[in-house]
Amino acid sequence: MAHSLNPKYYSPEWLAEDSTRKAPHQDIDITRERKNCILKYYGDVDQRREVNVEYSNFSLCMEDFCNVDAMRDRSILDPLRWWAVHGASAPILQALAFKLLGQPSSSSCCERNWSTYKFIHSATRNKITPQRAEDLVFVHTNLRLLARMKDSYKEGPSQMWDLGGDQFDSLDESNLGRLEFEDLSVDEPSLEGVLFDNVHEGEDVDDDDLDVDDHDV
């Protein structure tokens, strides 16, 4: 869908660079996926029809999109800026373009998961099964989420444990340098105890809820 909403891929300049290139509305595979995406985003049939009309105007340079500047800027402006300048006549599609084209491409989520996984599958735990390792990564990550919900998150061991579990979480000046040294692992019972205290007052967290054994956590 993001590919379909990028004005660059409809510009004559981009299409002329390779004879095999097609505009998104002429590519059958992209068209099918775009239709699936629109169907998922918009459950109302009338709204879907309106979105499709807006898309046809955008892809075929019809109505307000036939403006000389709008067509020329397709290969020049950043896609997000292009929609801000020229997309007012298609408000539904413009809002969707802002959501999709405004998302930066990043591998940080994978890096976070790998950072946690290295604590789980260590040299002393090299015989652990993949499923057990996956369960422990799940528990570790959710313990950190519980820590962030606590009022005391910004002070004390909860934040220190959270930083140690995610070396990509914060790059502000106050944390630069700290991330290199606060390499805490899941083998920190005193820190884990802080997270389990009063998770829900009056409720106990047992092994069945976590689906792992005490010695594994």
Side-chain angles (χ1 to χ4, degrees):
M1 189 70 204
H3 182 82
S4 293
L5 294 178
N6 192 329
K8 171 185 175 181
Y9 300 131
Y10 300 86
S11 65
E13 293 82 1
W14 183 81
L15 294 172
E17 291 179 5
D18 191 327
S19 59
T20 62
R21 287 180 176 176
K22 295 180 180 179
H25 66 289
Q26 296 175 324
D27 189 299
I28 185 61
D29 292 328
I30 294 176
T31 297
R32 286 171 179 166
E33 294 304 321
R34 181 179 63 253
K35 289 181 177 179
N36 290 336
C37 186
I38 291 176
L39 183 64
K40 185 176 181 179
Y41 264 78
Y42 307 102
D44 182 75
V45 63
D46 293 328
Q47 191 176 33
R48 280 203 306 275
R49 187 177 297 110
E50 187 176 354
V51 172
N52 286 325
V53 169
E54 290 184 357
Y55 177 75
S56 65
N57 292 335
F58 159 68
S59 60
L60 298 176
C61 295
M62 298 172 62
E63 297 189 2
D64 288 353
F65 293 106
C66 70
N67 180 277
V68 175
D69 287 338
M71 292 189 292
R72 183 186 297 116
D73 288 344
R74 290 191 172 206
S75 61
I76 299 174
L77 287 182
D78 174 84
L80 202 61
R81 296 181 185 275
W82 188 93
W83 276 102
V85 175
H86 303 294
S89 62
I92 301 178
L93 211 59
Q94 184 188 53
L96 184 58
F98 286 159
K99 290 180 180 179
L100 298 181
L101 299 177
Q103 298 180 25
S105 298
S106 174
S107 64
S108 61
C109 291
C110 295
E111 298 287 355
R112 290 190 183 101
N113 197 56
W114 295 335
S115 179
T116 302
Y117 200 94
K118 75 176 182 181
F119 296 140
I120 305 296
H121 199 275
S122 61
T124 58
R125 292 172 172 167
N126 60 354
K127 292 184 179 180
I128 194 171
T129 63
Q131 184 59 52
R132 179 52 58 87
E134 182 179 338
D135 290 342
L136 291 175
V137 169
F138 175 84
V139 170
H140 181 85
T141 301
N142 281 279
L143 284 175
R144 291 175 52 229
L145 291 176
L146 287 175
R148 295 183 181 189
M149 295 172 61
K150 297 174 69 71
D151 294 335
S152 59
Y153 169 70
K154 294 184 179 180
E155 300 177 359
S158 292
Q159 186 188 33
M160 301 284 284
W161 182 81
D162 191 32
L163 284 172
D166 186 356
Q167 299 180 21
F168 303 88
D169 244 7
S170 176
L171 295 178
D172 57 65
E173 293 183 0
S174 62
N175 285 322
L176 286 176
R178 295 176 62 195
L179 299 180
E180 298 180 9
F181 302 103
E182 293 175 329
D183 194 26
L184 305 181
S185 73
V186 292
D187 297 319
E188 295 289 342
S190 61
L191 297 181
E192 291 170 3
V194 173
L195 299 178
F196 280 111
D197 287 342
N198 298 323
V199 172
H200 297 291
E201 292 188 6
E203 296 182 12
D204 294 330
V205 179
D206 54 31
D207 295 340
D208 294 334
D209 295 330
L210 296 178
D211 197 32
V212 292
D213 298 326
D214 289 337
H215 69 274
D216 287 321
V217 176

